[in-house]
Amino acid sequence: MKMETRVFPDIDALSRGALEELLRVMQDAIRQRGRFVIALSGGHTPAKLYALWAHAETPWDRVHLFWGDERYVQQDDPLSNYRMTRETLIKHVAIPAGNVHVVPTDLPTPEKAAEAYDAELRAFFGAEAPAFDLQLLGLGVEGHTASLFPGSPALEEKQRWVMAIEAPAKPARRLTFTPAVLDQGRNTFFLVAGADKREILAALRAEPDSKVSQYPAARIRPVGGTLWFLDQAAGS
Ligand code: 6PG
């Protein structure tokens, strides 16, 4: 698998670097397939990238936003990944509402919501593989990515594209894409910043065989490879 790492002085430079590549991937996707389909990540790290993207020239009617994972909380909850994206990006741009594929978090159970989002993905991709033009991913200190945590049965899932899981983190109830989707990605950017990520990055680099790695982030092997954006604090 192709894998590249770039290290930036700080989160601002990292975000500018990631935006530049995002726009390049977007232009290629639109030229080749007429649309740009992106799976967004949550957490704190991508907020600056989203805020910068809000001011970059973008044909928003060609862009489709999905989320690779979501916390099972109301859309206005401060922990909602959708809310973070809405505040930094969505409310500032003219994207058609039908292009914003929000993870439902108001169904009777997270399992029902996972089924609904799985069905939405299948309807969107039709007979094609769920190959996102770009998937953004983060890295947790114990090696999780999206909401795939170490030891989770979701890591072995071959059929379902979206699953409800109980995370050993707050909030526990979450929905996540499975590797059945994430391994198809045409482009995958990992955004990792902060000194608290240094140890896990070193552990990932030392992994002899990523296919059996205990760290979910190492087990995602997207078709198009991975590009890692690190800040100096994480990557030094
Ligand atoms: C989530 C995520 C998660 C995140 C990492 C890193 O919803 O929690 O998508 O996988 O990317 O936990 O989070 P930070 O960027 O906040 O460090």
mmCIF file of all heavy atoms in Angstrom, residues 139-172:
data_model
loop_
_atom_site.group_PDB
_atom_site.id
_atom_site.type_symbol
_atom_site.label_atom_id
_atom_site.label_comp_id
_atom_site.label_asym_id
_atom_site.label_seq_id
_atom_site.Cartn_x
_atom_site.Cartn_y
_atom_site.Cartn_z
ATOM 1 N N LEU A 139 -6.682 10.004 14.461
ATOM 2 C CA LEU A 139 -6.011 8.936 15.211
ATOM 3 C C LEU A 139 -6.205 9.189 16.698
ATOM 4 O O LEU A 139 -5.895 10.273 17.192
ATOM 5 C CB LEU A 139 -4.515 8.938 14.863
ATOM 6 C CG LEU A 139 -3.628 7.937 15.597
ATOM 7 C CD1 LEU A 139 -3.974 6.497 15.220
ATOM 8 C CD2 LEU A 139 -2.145 8.224 15.294
ATOM 9 N N GLY A 140 -6.728 8.187 17.389
ATOM 10 C CA GLY A 140 -6.864 8.285 18.842
ATOM 11 C C GLY A 140 -5.587 7.809 19.520
ATOM 12 O O GLY A 140 -4.802 7.065 18.926
ATOM 13 N N VAL A 141 -5.393 8.206 20.763
ATOM 14 C CA VAL A 141 -4.132 7.875 21.453
ATOM 15 C C VAL A 141 -3.924 6.364 21.607
ATOM 16 O O VAL A 141 -2.788 5.908 21.762
ATOM 17 C CB VAL A 141 -4.020 8.558 22.842
ATOM 18 C CG1 VAL A 141 -3.788 10.049 22.682
ATOM 19 C CG2 VAL A 141 -5.240 8.277 23.698
ATOM 20 N N GLU A 142 -5.017 5.586 21.558
ATOM 21 C CA GLU A 142 -4.862 4.121 21.671
ATOM 22 C C GLU A 142 -4.965 3.454 20.305
ATOM 23 O O GLU A 142 -5.072 2.250 20.179
ATOM 24 C CB GLU A 142 -5.870 3.554 22.685
ATOM 25 C CG GLU A 142 -7.312 3.411 22.239
ATOM 26 C CD GLU A 142 -7.996 4.693 21.779
ATOM 27 O OE1 GLU A 142 -7.555 5.297 20.761
ATOM 28 O OE2 GLU A 142 -8.990 5.068 22.403
ATOM 29 N N GLY A 143 -4.917 4.251 19.240
ATOM 30 C CA GLY A 143 -4.859 3.691 17.887
ATOM 31 C C GLY A 143 -6.188 3.597 17.177
ATOM 32 O O GLY A 143 -6.257 3.057 16.070
ATOM 33 N N HIS A 144 -7.265 4.139 17.757
ATOM 34 C CA HIS A 144 -8.543 4.053 17.040
ATOM 35 C C HIS A 144 -8.565 5.049 15.887
ATOM 36 O O HIS A 144 -7.837 6.065 15.893
ATOM 37 C CB HIS A 144 -9.742 4.249 17.979
ATOM 38 C CG HIS A 144 -10.105 5.667 18.292
ATOM 39 N ND1 HIS A 144 -9.732 6.308 19.447
ATOM 40 C CD2 HIS A 144 -10.833 6.581 17.599
ATOM 41 C CE1 HIS A 144 -10.218 7.539 19.450
ATOM 42 N NE2 HIS A 144 -10.884 7.752 18.329
ATOM 43 N N THR A 145 -9.387 4.718 14.902
ATOM 44 C CA THR A 145 -9.661 5.666 13.828
ATOM 45 C C THR A 145 -11.125 5.517 13.450
ATOM 46 O O THR A 145 -11.709 4.454 13.678
ATOM 47 C CB THR A 145 -8.739 5.441 12.611
ATOM 48 O OG1 THR A 145 -8.864 6.577 11.736
ATOM 49 C CG2 THR A 145 -9.071 4.167 11.859
ATOM 50 N N ALA A 146 -11.730 6.584 12.879
ATOM 51 C CA ALA A 146 -13.192 6.653 12.781
ATOM 52 C C ALA A 146 -13.696 6.252 14.180
ATOM 53 O O ALA A 146 -13.125 6.709 15.175
ATOM 54 C CB ALA A 146 -13.712 5.773 11.663
ATOM 55 N N SER A 147 -14.697 5.350 14.315
ATOM 56 C CA SER A 147 -14.976 4.831 15.660
ATOM 57 C C SER A 147 -14.701 3.334 15.687
ATOM 58 O O SER A 147 -15.474 2.547 16.222
ATOM 59 C CB SER A 147 -16.377 5.205 16.142
ATOM 60 O OG SER A 147 -16.390 6.565 16.574
ATOM 61 N N LEU A 148 -13.583 2.967 15.101
ATOM 62 C CA LEU A 148 -13.078 1.594 15.162
ATOM 63 C C LEU A 148 -12.024 1.550 16.260
ATOM 64 O O LEU A 148 -10.920 2.102 16.096
ATOM 65 C CB LEU A 148 -12.460 1.211 13.819
ATOM 66 C CG LEU A 148 -13.432 1.160 12.632
ATOM 67 C CD1 LEU A 148 -12.675 1.074 11.322
ATOM 68 C CD2 LEU A 148 -14.408 -0.015 12.783
ATOM 69 N N PHE A 149 -12.394 0.934 17.382
ATOM 70 C CA PHE A 149 -11.500 0.890 18.549
ATOM 71 C C PHE A 149 -10.799 -0.472 18.626
ATOM 72 O O PHE A 149 -11.293 -1.458 18.068
ATOM 73 C CB PHE A 149 -12.312 1.169 19.825
ATOM 74 C CG PHE A 149 -12.678 2.627 19.958
ATOM 75 C CD1 PHE A 149 -13.748 3.153 19.248
ATOM 76 C CD2 PHE A 149 -11.935 3.479 20.768
ATOM 77 C CE1 PHE A 149 -14.069 4.506 19.340
ATOM 78 C CE2 PHE A 149 -12.252 4.831 20.872
ATOM 79 C CZ PHE A 149 -13.321 5.347 20.159
ATOM 80 N N PRO A 150 -9.645 -0.540 19.309
ATOM 81 C CA PRO A 150 -8.930 -1.816 19.413
ATOM 82 C C PRO A 150 -9.846 -2.925 19.931
ATOM 83 O O PRO A 150 -10.605 -2.717 20.878
ATOM 84 C CB PRO A 150 -7.816 -1.512 20.420
ATOM 85 C CG PRO A 150 -7.561 -0.042 20.253
ATOM 86 C CD PRO A 150 -8.914 0.560 19.967
ATOM 87 N N GLY A 151 -9.789 -4.078 19.268
ATOM 88 C CA GLY A 151 -10.571 -5.241 19.707
ATOM 89 C C GLY A 151 -12.016 -5.239 19.255
ATOM 90 O O GLY A 151 -12.760 -6.183 19.519
ATOM 91 N N SER A 152 -12.448 -4.218 18.553
ATOM 92 C CA SER A 152 -13.858 -4.135 18.161
ATOM 93 C C SER A 152 -14.202 -5.165 17.089
ATOM 94 O O SER A 152 -13.455 -5.331 16.117
ATOM 95 C CB SER A 152 -14.150 -2.735 17.615
ATOM 96 O OG SER A 152 -15.422 -2.726 17.004
ATOM 97 N N PRO A 153 -15.354 -5.841 17.234
ATOM 98 C CA PRO A 153 -15.779 -6.785 16.184
ATOM 99 C C PRO A 153 -16.008 -6.079 14.844
ATOM 100 O O PRO A 153 -15.925 -6.719 13.790
ATOM 101 C CB PRO A 153 -17.089 -7.383 16.721
ATOM 102 C CG PRO A 153 -17.421 -6.657 17.980
ATOM 103 C CD PRO A 153 -16.258 -5.802 18.389
ATOM 104 N N ALA A 154 -16.241 -4.777 14.864
ATOM 105 C CA ALA A 154 -16.462 -4.028 13.614
ATOM 106 C C ALA A 154 -15.241 -4.113 12.696
ATOM 107 O O ALA A 154 -15.353 -3.986 11.477
ATOM 108 C CB ALA A 154 -16.790 -2.571 13.918
ATOM 109 N N LEU A 155 -14.063 -4.363 13.294
ATOM 110 C CA LEU A 155 -12.831 -4.455 12.485
ATOM 111 C C LEU A 155 -12.846 -5.656 11.552
ATOM 112 O O LEU A 155 -12.151 -5.678 10.544
ATOM 113 C CB LEU A 155 -11.610 -4.558 13.404
ATOM 114 C CG LEU A 155 -11.198 -3.269 14.099
ATOM 115 C CD1 LEU A 155 -10.223 -3.565 15.235
ATOM 116 C CD2 LEU A 155 -10.568 -2.314 13.091
ATOM 117 N N GLU A 156 -13.632 -6.679 11.909
ATOM 118 C CA GLU A 156 -13.681 -7.910 11.106
ATOM 119 C C GLU A 156 -14.868 -7.911 10.147
ATOM 120 O O GLU A 156 -15.058 -8.855 9.400
ATOM 121 C CB GLU A 156 -13.815 -9.149 12.025
ATOM 122 C CG GLU A 156 -12.836 -9.196 13.180
ATOM 123 C CD GLU A 156 -11.390 -9.286 12.721
ATOM 124 O OE1 GLU A 156 -11.155 -9.683 11.565
ATOM 125 O OE2 GLU A 156 -10.501 -8.919 13.516
ATOM 126 N N GLU A 157 -15.700 -6.885 10.207
ATOM 127 C CA GLU A 157 -16.952 -6.894 9.447
ATOM 128 C C GLU A 157 -16.700 -6.856 7.937
ATOM 129 O O GLU A 157 -15.935 -6.032 7.452
ATOM 130 C CB GLU A 157 -17.816 -5.695 9.873
ATOM 131 C CG GLU A 157 -19.130 -5.593 9.161
ATOM 132 C CD GLU A 157 -20.079 -6.759 9.448
ATOM 133 O OE1 GLU A 157 -19.991 -7.369 10.538
ATOM 134 O OE2 GLU A 157 -20.907 -7.057 8.572
ATOM 135 N N LYS A 158 -17.358 -7.778 7.230
ATOM 136 C CA LYS A 158 -17.161 -7.834 5.769
ATOM 137 C C LYS A 158 -18.414 -7.385 5.009
ATOM 138 O O LYS A 158 -18.321 -6.950 3.863
ATOM 139 C CB LYS A 158 -16.826 -9.261 5.330
ATOM 140 C CG LYS A 158 -15.591 -9.862 5.997
ATOM 141 C CD LYS A 158 -14.304 -9.362 5.340
ATOM 142 C CE LYS A 158 -13.065 -10.017 5.919
ATOM 143 N NZ LYS A 158 -12.650 -9.513 7.233
ATOM 144 N N GLN A 159 -19.592 -7.533 5.619
ATOM 145 C CA GLN A 159 -20.839 -7.257 4.901
ATOM 146 C C GLN A 159 -21.365 -5.841 5.143
ATOM 147 O O GLN A 159 -21.655 -5.114 4.211
ATOM 148 C CB GLN A 159 -21.940 -8.257 5.318
ATOM 149 C CG GLN A 159 -21.542 -9.718 5.140
ATOM 150 C CD GLN A 159 -21.176 -10.049 3.702
ATOM 151 O OE1 GLN A 159 -21.760 -9.515 2.767
ATOM 152 N NE2 GLN A 159 -20.171 -10.895 3.518
ATOM 153 N N ARG A 160 -21.540 -5.518 6.429
ATOM 154 C CA ARG A 160 -22.139 -4.211 6.760
ATOM 155 C C ARG A 160 -21.143 -3.086 6.492
ATOM 156 O O ARG A 160 -19.945 -3.239 6.754
ATOM 157 C CB ARG A 160 -22.580 -4.190 8.227
ATOM 158 C CG ARG A 160 -23.865 -4.950 8.452
ATOM 159 C CD ARG A 160 -24.206 -5.034 9.909
ATOM 160 N NE ARG A 160 -23.307 -5.939 10.617
ATOM 161 C CZ ARG A 160 -23.399 -6.225 11.916
ATOM 162 N NH1 ARG A 160 -24.336 -5.648 12.660
ATOM 163 N NH2 ARG A 160 -22.563 -7.063 12.480
ATOM 164 N N TRP A 161 -21.656 -1.988 5.988
ATOM 165 C CA TRP A 161 -20.814 -0.825 5.719
ATOM 166 C C TRP A 161 -20.799 0.144 6.902
ATOM 167 O O TRP A 161 -19.868 0.932 7.056
ATOM 168 C CB TRP A 161 -21.322 -0.097 4.467
ATOM 169 C CG TRP A 161 -21.099 -0.873 3.199
ATOM 170 C CD1 TRP A 161 -20.467 -2.085 3.070
ATOM 171 C CD2 TRP A 161 -21.487 -0.471 1.877
ATOM 172 N NE1 TRP A 161 -20.447 -2.460 1.748
ATOM 173 C CE2 TRP A 161 -21.058 -1.502 0.992
ATOM 174 C CE3 TRP A 161 -22.146 0.631 1.355
ATOM 175 C CZ2 TRP A 161 -21.282 -1.430 -0.383
ATOM 176 C CZ3 TRP A 161 -22.366 0.700 -0.016
ATOM 177 C CH2 TRP A 161 -21.934 -0.317 -0.882
ATOM 178 N N VAL A 162 -21.870 0.108 7.688
ATOM 179 C CA VAL A 162 -21.975 1.006 8.854
ATOM 180 C C VAL A 162 -22.399 0.155 10.045
ATOM 181 O O VAL A 162 -23.270 -0.707 9.904
ATOM 182 C CB VAL A 162 -23.042 2.101 8.622
ATOM 183 C CG1 VAL A 162 -23.089 3.060 9.808
ATOM 184 C CG2 VAL A 162 -22.784 2.860 7.324
ATOM 185 N N MET A 163 -21.804 0.394 11.198
ATOM 186 C CA MET A 163 -22.202 -0.349 12.401
ATOM 187 C C MET A 163 -22.350 0.577 13.598
ATOM 188 O O MET A 163 -21.664 1.594 13.693
ATOM 189 C CB MET A 163 -21.157 -1.418 12.731
ATOM 190 C CG MET A 163 -21.309 -2.686 11.901
ATOM 191 S SD MET A 163 -20.006 -3.888 12.255
ATOM 192 C CE MET A 163 -20.527 -4.499 13.858
ATOM 193 N N ALA A 164 -23.235 0.170 14.489
ATOM 194 C CA ALA A 164 -23.345 0.837 15.790
ATOM 195 C C ALA A 164 -22.380 0.135 16.725
ATOM 196 O O ALA A 164 -22.315 -1.095 16.738
ATOM 197 C CB ALA A 164 -24.769 0.708 16.306
ATOM 198 N N ILE A 165 -21.618 0.899 17.481
ATOM 199 C CA ILE A 165 -20.648 0.282 18.400
ATOM 200 C C ILE A 165 -20.707 0.970 19.761
ATOM 201 O O ILE A 165 -21.251 2.071 19.889
ATOM 202 C CB ILE A 165 -19.201 0.355 17.844
ATOM 203 C CG1 ILE A 165 -18.778 1.813 17.577
ATOM 204 C CG2 ILE A 165 -19.052 -0.445 16.553
ATOM 205 C CD1 ILE A 165 -17.922 2.405 18.602
ATOM 206 N N GLU A 166 -20.165 0.292 20.765
ATOM 207 C CA GLU A 166 -19.983 0.886 22.094
ATOM 208 C C GLU A 166 -18.497 1.180 22.213
ATOM 209 O O GLU A 166 -17.675 0.255 22.200
ATOM 210 C CB GLU A 166 -20.391 -0.105 23.187
ATOM 211 C CG GLU A 166 -21.879 -0.400 23.276
ATOM 212 C CD GLU A 166 -22.638 0.695 24.026
ATOM 213 O OE1 GLU A 166 -22.066 1.300 24.948
ATOM 214 O OE2 GLU A 166 -23.811 0.943 23.655
ATOM 215 N N ALA A 167 -18.135 2.439 22.309
ATOM 216 C CA ALA A 167 -16.716 2.810 22.363
ATOM 217 C C ALA A 167 -16.248 2.910 23.815
ATOM 218 O O ALA A 167 -17.021 3.332 24.678
ATOM 219 C CB ALA A 167 -16.505 4.156 21.676
ATOM 220 N N PRO A 168 -14.992 2.578 24.078
ATOM 221 C CA PRO A 168 -14.431 2.813 25.411
ATOM 222 C C PRO A 168 -14.009 4.275 25.543
ATOM 223 O O PRO A 168 -12.877 4.602 25.874
ATOM 224 C CB PRO A 168 -13.218 1.875 25.451
ATOM 225 C CG PRO A 168 -12.804 1.753 24.016
ATOM 226 C CD PRO A 168 -14.033 1.923 23.169
ATOM 227 N N ALA A 169 -14.915 5.167 25.164
ATOM 228 C CA ALA A 169 -14.631 6.610 25.165
ATOM 229 C C ALA A 169 -15.973 7.318 25.303
ATOM 230 O O ALA A 169 -17.018 6.692 25.125
ATOM 231 C CB ALA A 169 -13.968 7.013 23.844
ATOM 232 N N LYS A 170 -15.933 8.599 25.587
ATOM 233 C CA LYS A 170 -17.178 9.347 25.737
ATOM 234 C C LYS A 170 -17.483 10.137 24.482
ATOM 235 O O LYS A 170 -16.580 10.799 23.979
ATOM 236 C CB LYS A 170 -17.063 10.294 26.929
ATOM 237 C CG LYS A 170 -17.191 9.559 28.231
ATOM 238 C CD LYS A 170 -17.872 10.451 29.271
ATOM 239 C CE LYS A 170 -18.359 9.640 30.451
ATOM 240 N NZ LYS A 170 -17.514 9.725 31.631
ATOM 241 N N PRO A 171 -18.678 10.144 23.929
ATOM 242 C CA PRO A 171 -19.773 9.268 24.345
ATOM 243 C C PRO A 171 -19.572 7.860 23.799
ATOM 244 O O PRO A 171 -18.976 7.685 22.739
ATOM 245 C CB PRO A 171 -20.984 9.934 23.698
ATOM 246 C CG PRO A 171 -20.447 10.615 22.495
ATOM 247 C CD PRO A 171 -19.041 11.005 22.803
ATOM 248 N N ALA A 172 -20.085 6.863 24.515
ATOM 249 C CA ALA A 172 -19.835 5.465 24.158
ATOM 250 C C ALA A 172 -20.605 5.043 22.899
ATOM 251 O O ALA A 172 -20.096 4.290 22.082
ATOM 252 C CB ALA A 172 -20.202 4.566 25.323
#
